[in-house]
Amino acid sequence: MSVQIAPSILSADFARLADEAAAVATVADWLHVDVMDNHFVPNLTLGAPVVAALHAATPLPLDCHLMIDDPDRWAATYAEVGAGNVTFHAEAAADVVQTARSIRAAGARAGLALKPGTDVESYLDVLGEFDMLLVMTVEPGFGGQEFLPAMMPKVARARKYLRDAGLPLWIQVDGGVTEETIETCARAGADVFVAGSAVYGAHDPAAAVSALRHRARVFAAEAQASSR
Ligand code: DX5
Ligand code: ZN
């Protein structure tokens, strides 16, 4: 399991997105792009045209997190405009398998996101259709919320299932991830860490990404050693 860090531009300056992407381009693995429609969540951000523009403006692969209704209809569009990964919410999709397949057919990795109140057990049988599982560690909708440690057993159960089933999915955590909370996430088995305010709220966003990676690596290595 290798640690990956995905800064979320939700906490960046939206008037300077290209510069904000450039600030982390040499140290981050992904740029996390939160797409919100004011229906699935009570907040409105950006859509496919902005994702296309960002794709043209940064060498970082884009990790699109769709917090929208009807992802069945829209998910593949985000892959078509250049996202490297498209994650959609299980709660919003009518057909999670077909939607995952539409993303992969358009050339991107497919992710399945679960809100805090959604259990992972209902989705174990479809995880083979995905490249990543996103366990939300806050209610989706806003940056800067407090991390929910109660989500860690969900991460651990998912990691155990994936290990036992021999499935290579990444497990992403998103919401309230900081230098302090990243430890418990890595120990539980997460390997992709989204951080918005911890990166873009920092004086030096690149240094913040490096610090998060360092912390996650230490604890991910410990967790792996203890699971052997
Ligand atoms: C929240 C978004 C997150 C958000 C995280 O719904 O999905 O990606 O940017 O922000 P922080 O890291 O500040 O909790
Ligand atoms: Zn997100």
Side-chain angles (χ1 to χ4, degrees):
M1 254 180 357
S2 72
V3 163
Q4 300 185 70
I5 308 292
S8 166
I9 54 158
L10 188 61
S11 298
D13 179 349
F14 270 35
R16 299 172 43 252
L17 284 182
D19 293 341
E20 296 282 64
V24 296
T26 57
V27 289
D29 299 283
W30 296 86
L31 194 65
H32 184 83
V33 181
D34 288 302
V35 176
M36 305 186 188
D37 67 351
N38 205 27
H39 290 271
F40 181 69
V41 290
N43 197 2
L44 184 66
T45 55
L46 51 85
V50 177
V51 172
L54 261 175
H55 179 55
T58 178
L60 276 174
L62 302 181
D63 170 30
C64 285
H65 175 194
L66 305 185
M67 285 160 275
I68 62 172
D69 280 349
D70 201 8
D72 309 65
R73 177 174 172 195
W74 297 110
T77 301
Y78 288 86
E80 286 159 10
V81 299
N85 180 84
V86 180
T87 295
F88 64 92
H89 271 267
E91 304 85 358
D95 186 336
V96 296
V97 170
Q98 274 313 316
T99 303
R101 289 180 180 173
S102 74
I103 294 167
R104 283 175 158 182
R109 296 173 60 92
L112 183 70
L114 305 177
K115 297 210 295 185
T118 304
D119 66 41
V120 68
E121 280 70 23
S122 307
Y123 295 95
L124 295 179
D125 294 341
V126 299
L127 288 181
E129 301 280 344
F130 290 88
D131 301 291
M132 185 167 79
L133 176 70
L134 164 53
V135 176
M136 289 303 298
T137 42
V138 297
E139 277 303 330
F142 299 93
Q145 300 183 77
E146 199 178 327
F147 178 77
L148 296 172
M151 296 302 109
M152 295 301 98
K154 193 195 291 192
V155 173
R157 291 197 307 275
R159 179 53 75 199
K160 179 174 178 352
Y161 174 80
L162 294 173
R163 194 183 287 130
D164 292 348
L167 289 171
L169 278 77
W170 300 339
I171 299 181
Q172 183 176 63
V173 284
D174 180 9
V177 174
T178 65
E179 273 190 65
E180 286 69 46
T181 61
I182 204 166
E183 166 178 353
T184 182
C185 298
R187 282 188 194 279
D191 52 0
V192 187
F193 305 88
V194 177
S197 41
V199 170
Y200 284 110
H203 173 65
D204 182 343
V209 170
S210 299
L212 286 166
R213 186 190 305 284
H214 177 72
R215 295 274 295 171
R217 271 188 183 151
V218 170
F219 300 113
E222 280 180 19
Q224 225 165 4
S226 65
S227 75
R228 282 203 187 102

